[in-house]
Amino acid sequence: MSKETQELTRNPNLIAFQTNLLAEYQEKNKTVKKGQTIFIGSSIMELFPIEKWEEAGEVKFDKYIYNRAVRATTTQFVLDHITTQIFDLAPSKIFINIGTNDIGFQVEPEIFHENYEKIIRQIQATLPDAEIFVLKYYPVNNVDFGSDKDEAVLFATRSNALFNQASEKNREMAQKLGVHFIDVSEGLADEHGNLKKAYTFDGAHLLPDGCKVILENLVPYL
């Protein structure tokens, strides 16, 4: 277990946040409209303000988009909470961006990819008519960021090279399991392949303007 993982598992504030957010999701799930679209993942997805935009009338799609992502989580977390995050909503479309923390927390690649495949197979078994979209990991920027302590820890085990390598494994998995693998990051990167500084507050997580780029790229699939 990496030092970063150990710190996170000992962080009572983070654990409390995750627990409270799951409880909030469980309560909201009682009144959701079935057959809609959901976003699943870790902080990259959780911070995506899609429901805020929908409620404000800024965006509108044929199907409502529910966000059930939870920050600082891994593929194992989704497996452990798959009912709350996915099955209770009985969605018709599922967009998944999970695994960057598996990489960052240095989970064994075999375990990480095995867990991801388990997630897909469980969805297929429980929701056979649902469309599943596995998202290519977004670029990061450790050139303009990484100078302070928190950013240095973040990028100690995360890089575009690692994310691209893992994305290719996810592409192979998606092809094998018959689900969609999509890259919706067009426009996020600069000429060097790094996440544009204007779209992020720490080099990895997106500001609302960055999320709008992603949403525009997602429109054909929504």
Side-chain angles (χ1 to χ4, degrees), residues 60-203:
K60 183 176 177 60
F61 300 100
D62 291 339
K63 295 181 182 297
Y64 191 85
I65 302 171
Y66 295 104
N67 192 336
R68 291 296 181 266
V70 180
R71 70 188 61 179
T73 57
T74 62
T75 51
Q76 184 60 56
F77 186 95
V78 174
L79 283 172
D80 291 342
H81 304 283
I82 198 165
T83 297
T84 298
Q85 293 187 271
I86 302 176
F87 296 154
D88 280 349
L89 294 91
S92 60
K93 289 186 177 182
I94 304 164
F95 292 84
I96 308 175
N97 187 347
I98 191 70
T100 55
N101 285 331
D102 292 73
I103 297 166
F105 301 163
Q106 297 182 305
V107 174
E108 290 293 332
E110 295 80 7
I111 295 174
F112 156 34
H113 291 293
E114 180 181 321
N115 284 346
Y116 211 146
E117 185 166 328
K118 285 180 180 178
I119 292 168
I120 304 302
R121 289 190 182 279
Q122 286 191 27
I123 295 171
Q124 290 177 320
T126 305
L127 303 168
D129 295 327
E131 271 193 285
I132 302 169
F133 297 82
V134 173
L135 273 60
K136 184 180 187 293
Y137 298 131
Y138 308 150
V140 294
N141 182 341
N142 60 355
V143 175
D144 296 305
F145 299 86
S147 58
D148 71 26
K149 181 180 178 181
D150 289 340
E151 292 172 358
V153 170
L154 181 70
F155 290 117
T157 53
R158 293 172 173 82
S159 68
N160 286 323
L162 288 172
F163 285 3
N164 288 335
Q165 183 180 30
S167 283
E168 283 308 304
K169 293 285 292 183
N170 293 342
R171 183 194 301 273
E172 294 171 8
M173 172 197 69
Q175 183 175 8
K176 179 177 73 172
L177 299 181
V179 302
H180 305 283
F181 178 89
I182 58 175
D183 181 358
V184 292
S185 63
E186 182 179 358
L188 283 183
D190 61 22
E191 65 272 21
H192 303 295
N194 297 311
L195 179 59
K196 291 179 181 177
K197 188 176 181 180
Y199 289 155
T200 178
F201 57 88
D202 64 358

Side-chain angles (χ1 to χ4, degrees), residues 3-12 14-15 72 105 158:
K3 182 179 179 181
E4 183 178 2
T5 307
Q6 291 173 345
E7 289 300 318
L8 282 168
T9 56
R10 288 198 298 261
N11 186 331
L14 176 60
I15 293 170
F105 301 163
R158 293 172 173 82

